């Protein structure tokens, strides 16, 4: 079981590091989906990028995996505000509009990701 957690933790951790780095490489794409009521889109884009990178590293390290996964559950839920904003206001991400099917697929991916993070965080 530890081998499986190590492999899954490494894969998901690298994915979060990659996505977090993308927040710095192309912040405009992420800024556009930050809900306007939050204000300061660059702050939210960079802050979420920092957390994704740091917590992604934490998923890779067995000693910090549980806490990092639990923190990522909260982060993913909070960042779902951006996904909801994209859906409700038909906002393109990086110039690409999602179809209704695309939004459903994105939601399914979010739910699966949350389930994996809950498992890595030993919540269930």
């Amino acid at each position: 079981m530890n081998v499986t957690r190590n492999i899954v933790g490494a894969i998901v951790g690298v994915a979060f590091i990659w996505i977090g780095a993308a927040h710095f490489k192309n912040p405009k794409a992420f800024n556009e989906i930050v809900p306007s009521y939050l204000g300061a889109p660059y702050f939210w884009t960079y802050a979420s990028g920092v957390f994704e990178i740091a917590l992604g590293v934490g998923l890779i390290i067995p000693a910090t995996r549980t806490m990092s996964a639990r923190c990522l559950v909260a982060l993913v839920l909070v960042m779902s505000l951006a996904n909801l904003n994209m859906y409700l206001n038909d906002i393109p991400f990086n110039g690409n509009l999602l179809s209704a099917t695309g939004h459903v697929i994105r939601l399914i991916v979010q739910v699966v990701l949350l389930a994996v993070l809950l498992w890595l965080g030993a919540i269930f």
Side-chain angles (χ1 to χ4, degrees):
M1 184 65 114
N2 278 343
V3 172
T4 304
R5 283 190 192 275
N6 288 342
I7 293 168
V8 173
I11 291 169
V12 177
V14 168
F16 270 103
I17 293 166
W18 182 76
I19 293 166
H23 284 67
F24 294 92
K25 183 178 179 186
N26 186 12
K28 188 176 184 302
F30 295 92
N31 289 347
E32 292 171 354
I33 64 172
V34 172
S36 59
Y37 59 82
L38 290 177
Y42 276 98
F43 169 79
W44 296 112
T45 294
Y46 291 140
S48 61
V50 166
F51 281 116
E52 287 173 335
I53 291 168
L55 294 170
V57 169
L59 285 181
I60 296 169
I61 302 167
T64 58
R65 181 174 301 129
T66 299
M67 186 54 66
S68 293
R70 290 175 181 186
C71 290
L72 278 165
V73 167
L75 184 64
V76 168
L77 289 172
V78 169
M79 289 189 317
S80 293
L81 293 172
N83 296 334
L84 183 61
N85 187 44
M86 282 179 61
Y87 170 71
L88 292 176
N89 296 303
D90 204 24
I91 299 170
F93 180 76
N94 208 19
N96 300 309
L97 277 173
L98 291 179
S99 65
T101 302
H103 284 291
V104 169
I105 291 169
R106 188 177 178 122
L107 176 62
I108 292 168
V109 169
Q110 292 280 115
V111 169
V112 170
L113 175 62
L114 285 168
V116 169
L117 290 170
L118 289 167
W119 175 70
L120 287 172
I123 295 171
F124 73 80

